[in-house]
Amino acid sequence: MASNGNGKVVATSNGNGEFSFGTGRNGLAKIQTQKKPTNGICHDDSSAPVKAQTVDELHSLQKKKSAPTTPIDGAQGAFTMSEEERHKQQLQSISASLASLTRETGPKLVKGDPAKKSDGPKVAHHHVTTPNLNLSTSDSALKFTHILYNLSPAELYEQAIKYEHGSFITASGALATLSGAKTGRSPRDKRVVRDDTTEDELWWGKGSPNIEMDGETFLVNRERAVDYLNSLDKRTFDNCVGGRCIRPTPEELENFGTPDFTIYNAGRFPCNRYTHYMTSSTSIDLNLARREMVILGTQYAGEMKKGLFSVMHYLMPKRQILSLHSGCNMGKDGDVALFFGLSDDEHCWSDNGVSNIEGGCYAKCIDLSREKEPDIWNAIKFGAVLENVVFDEHDRDVDFTDKSVTENTRAAYPIEYIPNAKIPCIGPHPKNVILLACDAFGVLPPVSKLSLAQTMYHFISGYTALVAGTEEGIKEPQATFSACFGAAFIMLHPTKYAAMLAEKMQKHGATGWLVNTGWSGGSYGSGNRIKLPYTRKIIDAIHSGSLLNVNYAKTEVFGLEIPTEVEGVPSEILQPMNTWSDKKAYNETLLKLGGLFKKNFAVYLDYKIGKDNKLTEEIAAAGPIF
């Protein structure tokens, strides 16, 4: 798997159950995406804070009242220690840490729960030596006081129920937990150290998701995180990137060695808001030179997932491997297609083919039902973790329709829980690259074949449209653009990823397609949504190769090549103008959308690739012309 960019990661957590999604063994994550589709590109999972004013209020949102049950006296004490006792232990741990001359010394690592006293025969466990963390020899290092190392899902359940208020086992066997006030990512609080190397390599400035911080401030936050972690029973995990957050086999753990990247997750503890560069009590910091990540002030598990995805977006292109925020499907004959726009999956495209870089799924589960998503429904069992869901306080049945805590509820489960997952999750080079757009303006064709330059242009644009009801205040369609269909996670300039995509498509003979799943015959409110069976027929025709052997006509403004026929799809809907009764309104709307594309793309025109800037000009010329 070296060709797919695998690396080793150790993650140290404050013990909020956030690592349980990395429990997969002997396999990479699925190629066939199972994520719940939405109307447009993969939506940002950033979210407004919970409105609860206290921790107790937050926990009250988690459980629904049900029929009266008989209280069990003393039950709470069987699972948790008193706050006074817990506070006393924390103070003792801090005192011991401060008394040490060097913080990397301390008690030997404990495998399992240090509170347990075993009188029976000892069972051999793999890899029980002290973890070889990537720590510098300074005061800011982890003191190995009760580090729970590479625990099993069952052990993690025990820890969560003992120490994490708001953790419960649901009726299906999954662990339900809360992420605190932050129920989504905090992109404005994510920082990247700007140093001599990243100064020239990363994309900075207007339009970039990279917000800078200096190395000294990173160390301030790192030490704050380490100090907090030293006061707790810490849980640490060895995982692999490239099959990211997959727990290695016992044999692999024996030779894990020094991690390539370390996460200090002190999410329950806030950063100091008066520290330079801080804008809130939350801070997610990446230091690419030190190969470290620090998380303060948020327990949302997606910060780790997307933080490592950002790291992959930096490391992989340096190895000539393209990192992609895309879904990937493999057909019965082994043919592969990449899908951009409806998936939260993450893949790499190397010289050997495509591979997934996740060890499982972190799927949105709002409104989840057994009928609509049976695979995801059945995966939510023992070993899975539910984040911010609401359940019945007595029978512990989850109400996936309840948005009391947040609409961004999540289900994390290992890849083995999906029956049709391909393990290991690797495949050959894609034959088709499909860009999915939900055009609420109703002027893009249901399908069009793209040139390489057009593929780069629409890949960089990452277009979809929001419609009324999706966000507060939206009363008519609004265009939204997300560079490379994942703007929040890219590290380099979008043009660099687009150039790599075009190079690989050309080298391996892949065809680019733009598929509109939005409206036809008018904009949202007057036209109709393109029927799902028609979209399926279009995708089938792309997979079978039949769309390569039909006649094409070119549209105005966007210059798209549209097929004159697709089996199973009415020919009249293939040309958008034919479906509009008001041709004048169609032309006005087409020009309006074209103008929005040009305005969005203007931010990328200042970036030059090569001495003559030829590639940037070629991509811009592939956009709308009027």
Side-chain angles (χ1 to χ4, degrees):
M1 286 297 297
S3 62
N4 291 323
N6 285 352
K8 292 168 288 185
V9 175
V10 61
T12 302
S13 167
N14 61 344
N16 291 305
E18 297 171 340
F19 292 93
S20 295
F21 64 88
T23 58
R25 296 178 183 269
N26 294 326
L28 303 183
K30 63 182 178 178
I31 274 190
Q32 183 166 356
T33 178
Q34 295 292 326
K35 301 295 170 62
K36 187 174 181 180
T38 53
N39 296 334
I41 64 169
C42 178
H43 291 291
D44 190 355
D45 60 344
S46 55
S47 178
V50 176
K51 295 181 180 179
Q53 298 298 310
T54 66
V55 175
D56 287 339
E57 285 182 22
L58 177 61
H59 292 149
S60 70
L61 297 175
Q62 190 180 17
K63 292 187 290 183
K64 284 191 165 185
K65 295 295 182 183
S66 60
T69 57
T70 304
I72 303 175
D73 295 336
Q76 184 71 12
F79 291 96
T80 60
M81 65 179 68
S82 68
E83 287 298 320
E84 182 179 356
E85 184 180 357
R86 182 70 174 167
H87 183 62
K88 181 179 179 181
Q89 286 193 7
Q90 290 178 351
L91 289 177
Q92 289 174 343
S93 180
I94 293 173
S95 298
S97 178
L98 293 174
S100 300
L101 293 177
T102 58
R103 294 194 186 174
E104 54 266 29
T105 62
K108 293 182 179 179
L109 173 144
V110 177
K111 176 73 169 90
D113 185 356
K116 290 183 178 179
K117 295 182 180 180
S118 175
D119 296 327
K122 293 185 177 180
V123 180
H125 291 285
H126 64 269
H127 203 54
V128 296
T129 57
T130 300
N132 189 7
L133 298 180
N134 186 18
L135 304 175
S136 61
T137 55
S138 70
D139 273 353
S140 183
L142 284 179
K143 178 186 168 93
F144 295 135
T145 304
H146 291 166
I147 289 186
L148 311 180
Y149 191 38
N150 285 328
L151 301 187
S152 67
E155 291 171 308
L156 287 170
Y157 269 42
E158 293 172 0
Q159 291 294 312
I161 293 171
K162 278 184 177 181
Y163 301 120
E164 303 301 332
H165 193 27
S167 295
F168 300 88
I169 298 177
T170 63
S172 69
L175 181 72
T177 189
L178 292 167
S179 67
K182 297 296 179 70
T183 60
R185 289 185 308 102
S186 303
R188 294 181 181 178
D189 296 310
K190 182 181 175 183
R191 301 285 183 272
V192 183
V193 172
R194 189 167 183 168
D195 53 26
D196 293 341
T197 300
T198 58
E199 169 75 33
D200 297 325
E201 290 184 336
L202 299 193
W203 178 29
W204 304 100
K206 185 178 180 181
S208 170
N210 300 318
I211 305 174
E212 69 176 271
M213 72 185 307
D214 59 38
E216 183 176 351
T217 304
F218 175 87
L219 291 177
V220 170
N221 282 352
R222 179 186 186 276
E223 179 149 339
R224 188 173 177 88
V226 169
D227 283 344
Y228 174 70
L229 291 170
N230 278 334
S231 72
L232 303 173
D233 290 338
K234 294 168 281 295
R235 295 135 178 84
T236 183
F237 301 84
D238 290 332
N239 296 291
C240 288
V241 170
R244 185 175 51 71
C245 288
I246 286 181
R247 180 168 295 190
T249 64
E251 294 76 20
E252 290 170 333
L253 282 172
E254 291 295 335
N255 301 303
F256 193 83
T258 302
D260 301 311
F261 199 89
T262 303
I263 302 173
Y264 299 96
N265 188 342
R268 182 178 284 184
F269 197 64
C271 67
N272 187 324
R273 292 176 296 158
Y274 299 102
T275 302
H276 189 39
Y277 295 104
M278 300 300 102
T279 54
S280 75
S281 60
T282 296
S283 191
I284 304 97
D285 309 327
L286 282 174
N287 190 320
L288 297 172
R290 292 180 63 96
R291 299 183 178 183
E292 293 179 337
M293 179 179 179
V294 171
I295 299 176
L296 290 163
T298 173
Q299 300 173 61
Y300 180 64
E303 296 293 4
M304 289 186 297
K305 168 186 166 72
K306 294 306 185 185
L308 285 179
F309 188 37
S310 295
V311 171
M312 294 292 276
H313 266 315
Y314 170 72
L315 293 177
M316 293 301 97
K318 296 169 75 72
R319 305 181 186 183
Q320 301 306 308
I321 298 172
L322 177 60
S323 50
L324 299 166
H325 194 217
S326 73
C328 184
N329 280 42
M330 178 180 286
K332 295 180 180 179
D333 299 327
D335 56 306
V336 168
L338 292 176
F339 287 86
F340 294 90
L342 291 182
S343 173
D344 199 26
D345 283 344
E346 303 163 2
H347 289 84
C348 281
W349 189 352
S350 72
D351 289 339
N352 296 325
V354 179
S355 64
N356 200 308
I357 56 177
E358 295 184 279
C361 298
Y362 184 58
K364 287 193 73 170
C365 58
I366 193 68
D367 294 326
L368 179 69
S369 68
R370 188 195 302 269
E371 295 73 27
K372 293 180 180 179
E373 297 285 355
D375 287 341
I376 295 179
W377 182 276
N378 293 328
I380 299 176
K381 56 186 179 181
F382 180 82
V385 176
L386 290 166
E387 191 174 38
N388 297 322
V389 299
V390 176
F391 52 85
D392 186 282
E393 68 173 355
H394 174 51
D395 58 29
R396 301 294 166 85
D397 283 328
V398 176
D399 183 355
F400 288 105
T401 66
D402 197 305
K403 305 174 184 177
S404 297
V405 179
T406 179
E407 188 169 334
N408 187 38
T409 54
R410 293 278 171 166
Y413 48 86
I415 186 56
E416 305 95 298
Y417 287 9
I418 297 297
N420 64 339
K422 186 180 185 301
I423 301 175
C425 188
I426 56 178
H429 297 289
K431 290 184 178 180
N432 296 288
V433 173
I434 302 171
L435 311 181
L436 296 162
C438 179
D439 177 30
F441 292 90
V443 295
L444 291 183
V447 59
S448 53
K449 185 173 64 172
L450 303 176
S451 66
L452 280 176
Q454 286 176 324
T455 302
M456 287 190 284
Y457 180 88
H458 286 277
F459 173 69
I460 292 174
S461 297
Y463 163 72
T464 193
L466 298 175
V467 298
T470 55
E471 289 187 8
E472 187 176 353
I474 294 181
K475 299 186 183 336
E476 62 179 24
Q478 292 189 6
T480 181
F481 300 89
S482 182
C484 306
F485 292 89
F489 321 119
I490 59 177
M491 303 289 281
L492 312 179
H493 193 276
T495 313
K496 291 190 176 183
Y497 299 105
M500 289 188 68
L501 177 63
E503 180 184 6
K504 290 185 179 299
M505 289 176 63
Q506 188 172 35
K507 181 178 180 180
H508 302 291
T511 305
W513 305 89
L514 180 64
V515 174
N516 174 25
T517 64
W519 273 256
S520 178
S523 299
Y524 173 82
S526 60
N528 298 304
R529 188 75 185 267
I530 296 173
K531 293 181 179 180
L532 182 59
Y534 294 161
T535 301
R536 286 175 175 164
K537 289 292 184 181
I538 288 169
I539 299 298
D540 289 342
I542 291 174
H543 285 324
S544 69
S546 63
L547 274 193
L548 295 175
N549 302 312
V550 299
N551 295 322
Y552 282 82
K554 181 173 286 189
T555 67
E556 296 181 352
V557 180
F558 281 89
L560 299 171
E561 296 282 347
I562 60 175
T564 56
E565 58 180 319
V566 178
E567 184 179 355
V569 181
S571 296
E572 59 269 19
I573 77 165
L574 297 176
Q575 170 55 264
M577 178 182 284
N578 294 340
T579 65
W580 284 62
S581 57
D582 188 339
K583 307 302 182 186
K584 180 181 178 181
Y586 167 79
N587 287 321
E588 290 175 349
T589 307
L590 180 64
L591 291 173
K592 178 181 179 180
L593 182 60
L596 294 172
F597 265 82
K598 291 178 75 71
K599 180 181 179 181
N600 170 73
F601 205 84
V603 71
Y604 308 120
L605 295 178
D606 292 337
Y607 188 83
K608 295 177 172 39
I609 293 183
K611 295 181 180 179
D612 56 5
N613 195 34
K614 183 178 179 181
L615 181 59
T616 306
E617 294 174 355
E618 182 181 348
I619 297 173
I625 299 174
F626 55 93

